[in-house]
Structures are given as structure tokens and as C-alpha cells.
Amino acid sequence: MKIVIAVIKPDRLEAVKQELYKVDVNLITVSEVLGHGRQMGVTEVYRGVKEMGNLLRKIQLFIAVNDSYLEQTIQAIIRGAKTGEIGDGKIFVLPLDECVRIRTEERGGIAIG
Amino acid sequence: MNTGDTAWVLISTALVMLMTPGLAFFYGGMVRRKNVLGVLMQCFTILCVLSIQWVLYGYSLAFAPGKGFWGGFDWIGLTGVGLGPFKDYAPTIPHQAFMIFQAMFAVITPALIVGAFAERMKFSGFLLFVILWATFIYDPVAHWVWGVGGWLRDLGALDFAGGTVVHINAGIAALATAIFIGKRKGYNGSAVPPHNLPHTVIGTALLWFGWFGFNAGSALAANGLAVNAFVVTNTAAATAGLTWAVIEWLHNGKPTVFGTATGAVAGLVAITPAAGFVSALSAIVIGIFVSLFCFIAVAFIKPRLGYDDSLDAFGVHCVGGIWGALATGLFASKLINPDGANGLFFGNPRQFLIQALAVAVTLAYSFVGSLILYKVVDWVVGMRVSEKDEIIGLDLTQHNENAYTLLE
């Protein structure tokens, strides 16, 4: 089992969701985050005072998958999120030790899907 | 000169002034949060820029007497616009009181168009477009309908507080700009969720409040006519707000806050030309039908035609304005206002035709004129922001500010 964490542009969320549905990944958690990579954010100015290198809004996806679903999940996120420009974001994959569905108390791979 | 009249017109002026920030919040709540400052900024900028334009030459173009196309330059810089009354417009108040009252109408009209191109117009292009639009579209049309020597006024077209001049005029310009600027990136005909509906409700409340100045103030005196306008304004807004909620309840299963607020504004739009000529019972009929027409326009016609009038400036203001102008030709009664005319339902079908003519002329002139001005500005400074800026949002890219912070 793996955790896929993806940071993407906010306006790509809809496209990424559609791509994930196509490969049968229907369970995702989405949160709004701030950050910047090489894009270095956008300058803000308040009453003449500059604030440099500020943070940009991004969307973070949190998806737990079984190993057999990992590659197609990654590919789906890339298809939905890639524009080819700086700021497209990143995908992180982490090992997942356990997963419990609270309602049924099922554990492991069966609890993920 | 009458102190009571003067006091009422000054208070009304302040009420109408508040409508533009009210509209800013009405619209601001509907956009995505990355663009809310863009909308507020556009409305506030119009308040600043057109207040100056109006005293420099706008008032002269719209109201100086006797020319055909527009008023000309006789009153430029308020030359000859003094503190005594000008009989043809308002015999009991200082001429400048009438001038500044009208200034607020000149301000809010282009602000209405903002709803059509929200979330994707460059600020520089917007600024130039608004100045040109006020000069070449609003000022002439105001002259035709309200100015001494204006040909629609001489023809007997009734427009008590600006249904034709303000709402149809701005609403059709909204359609023109929405078509030319194109859809927002990613817009596919489905709704873009409003980021803050409480803002929209506050904006609606401010508009409703300010509209008492807009309509009752247009009596230009503290008299019975002002009271009639006040009563029918409130009645139409209330009826239309309720009607929209009921339509949604029947059609979608639940009444919505957004719909009720939209309906109230549509009711205010529709009663505007009629406020000084119709009774409270007619206002109820006008209010019911305006919500019906506008609901059909925004829920069925817009998605089918595929233009992206982001905040329904056309669907509410133009459609509601057309209904209001035609309804004036149906429901106007000399029992309410002996200086007005009787409408179709009071035995005078000719009035309905005059109203229809005024509507048609305004639609045609403003649509074509707005297209030309749009093209000119697009060629000079460009109208649409870059795709990257549109994705990041107008707040950061046009104004270097953020409306809301996630972190301190």
C-alpha cells in the first residue's frame, strides 16, 4: 500500500479528478495549501510596502492506493495536472503501513478501495 | 427653490452613491476569491473616474440643452451650472444638486457592465473602455431620453429613473463585451461557485436601500410622486425576490439565498422605469414577471447560447430592464402621474409602441457602439489578461493584493 501526495495548480483539480475517475481511483482527500517552488510566488504590495516572494495557492491531493494501482494513479495525475510550465507541482509516494475502514473495521488493502 | 426638495435630492444622491459599492459586493461575492478585489477595484475606480468625467464634460454631453446627438460642450466644467434652479430639469432645487444626483447614475451604469467580463479583463483595458463607454454610449443615450431636445424625450418615451438609459444600456453592453472577450478559462456552461454569498446578500441589501434614492429621488422633489416611487420600488423588489425563490422551489426543489437576492435586484431593475407611473398593484405584477423572464434568461437561454456573462449583467439588467420599459407602456396611468401618460392597459396602445421603440434603439446603439469601443481598446492596450494571469487571479496579477490569507 502506498500514499500518493500530489501538489498541483488549483485550476487543474477538476482535470485531475476526471483523470482519476477514469482509472477507477474514486477516493481522494483534497486540501488547500500554500507554497512555492522555483516559481517563487507573486509579489504583493500593501499601501506601498512590498512583500516579496509570497506563497501561491496550491491544491494537495492525498490518495491511498494498493500497489497495483500506483502507476496508473501517478499517470492520471500527470495527465490532468501537466501544463509544461513552471509551477505544475510535484507527486510524492510514501509507503503506507496500515489502513482501517472505521465503519467495518476492515484492515489492509481491502479497506483502501 | 424648496429646501425640502433640495434636502431629499441630496440624500437621494448619497443613497445612489452607495449603490456602486453595494453592486461591488453583490458582484464580488459571486466571483472566485482570487478575483474579488478585481471586481471591487473596478467598481470603486468607476466611482472615482466617472465622478471626475461628469463634472469635466460628461454632464454637459448628457444634459446641455438643444443638440441632437448629445448635449454638446456648453456646460463643460460646469460652466453655467449654478446654484439656482434650471427649470427644465428640476425647478425647485439648485442645478448642481440635479447635476450631482445624475452623476451617481452615470457612475453606476458602467459599473453594471463589470459583471459580464468579470475575472478576465485587464485593468488598463477596463479603465480606457469605461471612460470611452461613458462618453460615447451613456452620455448620448442619457441625452436622448432625459436631456432637453433629446429625441426620445420629445417622442414621449417614459423612463422614470433609468430603465432604458441605465439598465438596458448597460445590460446589452454587457452582452457585447461578454461575447467579444470570450469565455473564462475552463468555463463550460456550468455554474462557477460563488466564493462568498453573504457578500452578495449584503450587496443586495445596499442596492435595495440605495434604490430608494435612485427611484424616489428621481421625482426630484419631496412629494407624493416620490412616495409612490418609494412604495412601488419596495413592492416590486419584494415580489420579485419571493417569486424567484418560489420558481427555484418548484423547479429545483429548494429555494436559494442567491436566487432570492438575484430576484430582488431584478425586481428593482424592472420597476425603475415605471416607478413614477404605476400603482403598487401593478408593481406586484411587474415583480412576478421579471423574475420569471430573468430566470429563464439565466437558467435556460444563457447555457444554450454559450456566452459567458459571468455574473448575469445581461440576464438580469438587460432582460429585466426591457420588461420594465415595456411594462411601463402597459401599466402607466395618469391617475398616478398626470405628467406621464396612460399605458396599453389604460387605453393608450401608442405608449407601448413608443416604449418598444426606445428599447430597440437603445439596444441597437449600445450593442454596436460597445462592440466598436471594445475593438478599439483591444487594439490599443488589450482587453484580456494573459492565460497565466487569469489562472493566478486578477487580485494578485492586476493589483498585487490578496483578499484573504490562509496563513498570517
Side-chain angles (χ1 to χ4, degrees):
Chain A
M1 294 181 292
K2 294 281 190 288
I3 287 290
V4 177
I5 296 174
V7 180
I8 61 170
K9 287 179 171 170
D11 67 301
R12 304 310 303 169
L13 175 60
E14 203 46 49
V16 170
K17 269 163 61 186
Q18 295 309 322
E19 292 295 338
L20 287 170
Y21 297 155
K22 280 184 202 163
V23 296
D24 277 339
V25 176
N26 298 312
L27 305 176
I28 63 174
T29 305
V30 178
S31 49
E32 182 166 32
V33 294
L34 293 177
H36 66 69
R38 267 187 278 179
Q39 198 180 359
M40 284 309 288
V42 175
T43 308
E44 297 174 28
V45 181
Y46 295 98
R47 289 190 172 161
V49 182
K50 248 188 189 178
E51 207 176 277
M52 292 294 292
N54 226 294
L55 302 167
L56 277 177
R57 286 209 174 89
K58 298 283 177 186
I59 296 289
Q60 181 171 296
L61 304 173
F62 184 98
I63 310 169
V65 293
N66 287 310
D67 291 341
S68 58
Y69 272 84
L70 180 61
E71 194 50 39
Q72 62 208 67
T73 302
I74 291 172
Q75 291 304 328
I77 294 170
I78 291 172
R79 278 199 303 278
K82 185 169 174 175
T83 67
E85 286 167 36
I86 290 179
D88 274 353
K90 285 218 170 63
I91 300 172
F92 309 105
V93 180
L94 287 69
L96 175 60
D97 291 339
E98 182 63 291
C99 173
V100 183
R101 176 176 282 136
I102 295 174
R103 175 170 56 86
T104 59
E105 297 182 40
E106 290 165 293
R107 288 179 177 242
I110 189 150
I112 282 186
Chain B
M1 294 268 271
N2 180 308
T3 53
D5 292 351
T6 307
W8 171 236
V9 171
L10 287 179
I11 290 169
S12 293
T13 304
L15 287 171
V16 181
M17 175 269 157
L18 198 59
M19 288 172 69
T20 298
L23 183 78
F25 277 98
F26 179 68
Y27 280 163
M30 293 182 210
V31 297
R32 289 164 290 179
R33 58 192 163 150
K34 62 185 179 182
N35 295 319
V36 56
L37 294 179
V39 170
L40 297 185
M41 180 66 172
Q42 288 179 351
C43 291
F44 267 83
T45 303
I46 289 173
L47 180 56
C48 295
V49 171
L50 290 188
S51 291
I52 300 167
Q53 184 261 10
W54 194 247
V55 299
L56 287 181
Y57 65 87
Y59 181 64
S60 182
L61 289 184
F63 284 96
K67 311 287 193 298
F69 176 67
W70 59 13
F73 296 95
D74 294 349
W75 289 349
I76 203 160
L78 301 187
T79 314
V81 180
L83 301 179
F86 184 77
K87 270 215 247 9
D88 287 328
Y89 291 137
T92 60
I93 62 171
H95 192 180
Q96 283 200 10
F98 176 76
M99 182 281 298
I100 195 66
F101 180 63
Q102 284 297 334
M104 299 310 166
F105 287 65
V107 166
I108 194 167
T109 307
L112 296 170
I113 311 173
V114 166
F117 50 67
E119 305 197 290
R120 57 203 187 282
M121 192 176 277
K122 233 162 81 174
F123 188 70
S124 53
F126 151 82
L127 198 53
L128 186 56
F129 178 76
V130 157
I131 294 169
L132 292 175
W133 194 86
T135 305
F136 292 104
I137 311 287
Y138 182 81
D139 294 347
V141 173
H143 185 71
W144 300 346
V145 179
W146 289 332
V148 170
W151 66 276
L152 285 172
R153 170 184 166 131
D154 291 344
L155 202 61
L158 297 180
D159 186 1
F160 189 69
T164 307
V165 178
V166 175
H167 294 286
I168 297 177
N169 198 3
I172 193 68
L175 181 65
T177 53
I179 291 172
F180 258 22
I181 199 166
K183 296 176 195 178
R184 285 166 291 175
K185 192 177 152 20
Y187 177 79
N188 56 12
S190 59
V192 177
H195 94 282
N196 192 332
L197 282 179
H199 275 175
T200 300
V201 175
I202 291 170
T204 307
L206 289 173
L207 283 170
W208 191 327
F209 180 70
W211 228 294
F212 291 128
F214 201 91
N215 287 357
S218 288
L220 297 169
N223 57 15
L225 190 59
V227 173
N228 185 80
F230 202 114
V231 170
V232 297
T233 299
N234 196 58
T235 307
T239 311
L242 186 65
T243 304
W244 197 295
V246 169
I247 293 172
E248 286 186 320
W249 212 337
L250 297 173
H251 188 261
N252 298 334
K254 292 272 192 292
T256 68
V257 175
F258 193 15
T260 309
T262 307
V265 171
L268 291 162
V269 169
I271 200 63
T272 296
F277 309 111
V278 302
S279 68
L281 292 181
S282 298
I284 290 179
V285 180
I286 290 173
I288 289 172
F289 279 96
V290 74
S291 277
L292 198 61
F293 294 145
C294 291
F295 183 83
I296 291 169
V298 304
F300 298 112
I301 296 176
K302 182 173 84 157
R304 196 146 305 168
L305 295 184
Y307 60 92
D308 183 13
D309 174 8
S310 320
L311 314 180
D312 292 317
F314 171 76
V316 172
H317 290 277
C318 194
V319 173
I322 291 172
W323 163 241
L326 297 180
T328 306
L330 298 175
F331 296 104
S333 164
K334 282 196 166 181
L335 295 174
I336 305 291
N337 185 348
D339 295 331
N342 282 325
L344 180 68
F345 293 159
F346 293 86
N348 180 16
R350 188 169 173 272
Q351 190 59 41
F352 184 77
L353 295 177
I354 294 173
Q355 296 300 111
L357 176 70
V359 168
V361 168
T362 307
L363 285 175
Y365 179 76
S366 180
F367 188 79
V368 174
S370 301
L371 287 184
I372 294 171
L373 294 181
Y374 182 95
K375 275 291 168 197
V376 169
V377 176
D378 196 25
W379 181 68
V380 177
V381 292
M383 275 299 217
R384 187 157 181 159
V385 296
S386 71
E387 193 178 310
K388 179 165 161 277
D389 286 359
E390 191 177 335
I391 290 168
I392 294 174
L394 301 189
D395 295 4
L396 274 173
T397 60
Q398 304 298 299
H399 308 296
N400 281 347
E401 291 169 303
N402 239 329
Y404 310 103
T405 54
L406 271 186
L407 299 172
E408 293 300 328

